[in-house]
Amino acid sequence: MADYTIILDALDVMMRLGIHPHEAAPQRVRLSVWMTVEYSAPPSADRIADVLDYDFLRDGILRLAGGPPLALQETLVEAVAALCLADARVREVRVRSMKLDVYPDAGVGCEIVRRR
């Protein structure tokens, strides 16, 4: 077995996320995802077909961002984790979301780890 960590770092999206009236408009949210992926052996042929193609993750996050509004960051990170764990090779996923513009001096976020 061969484990790899696949990272999608600092993907900024505009989305409706929050419970406050000023959050009814889309706001900047930064998402980072770390997936521990298990392959039966280290990839040897240098072919994308032998590994996890992370395009599905970016595309899925963009779909979530363009979908119905979400109230909680916890809901968002759980949805991203479920997207990752839909691939049986993903053993563990860490997802972090960060609202970048809630406060002028700090971001506010949520992070989870989910394992198979």
Side-chain angles (χ1 to χ4, degrees):
M1 297 296 188
D3 286 354
Y4 292 81
T5 301
I6 307 299
I7 303 165
L8 178 69
D9 194 27
L11 174 62
D12 290 352
V13 297
M14 292 295 292
M15 65 182 298
R16 293 176 295 162
L17 177 64
I19 60 168
H20 300 291
H22 66 274
E23 293 179 306
Q27 63 179 301
R28 287 188 316 146
V29 177
R30 178 168 291 156
L31 289 141
S32 294
V33 181
W34 298 263
M35 294 179 289
T36 301
V37 181
E38 182 179 86
Y39 303 126
S40 57
S44 61
D46 198 30
R47 297 178 322 139
I48 191 65
D50 295 338
V51 298
L52 182 100
D53 184 351
Y54 43 77
D55 286 345
F56 84 95
L57 178 57
R58 182 178 174 276
D59 294 343
I61 290 172
L62 293 176
R63 276 193 305 278
L64 284 168
L70 297 173
L72 304 174
Q73 289 192 73
E74 289 83 351
T75 305
L76 174 61
V77 295
E78 289 288 355
V80 173
L83 178 67
C84 296
L85 291 169
D87 188 305
R89 297 171 293 181
V90 178
R91 293 189 310 113
E92 179 178 288
V93 61
R94 176 182 302 268
V95 182
R96 176 184 297 161
S97 67
M98 187 70 59
K99 292 185 194 180
L100 300 175
D101 301 316
V102 171
Y103 302 119
D105 54 356
V108 62
C110 180
E111 181 173 298
I112 61 168
V113 175
R114 296 291 177 260
R115 293 173 189 86
R116 205 168 278 296

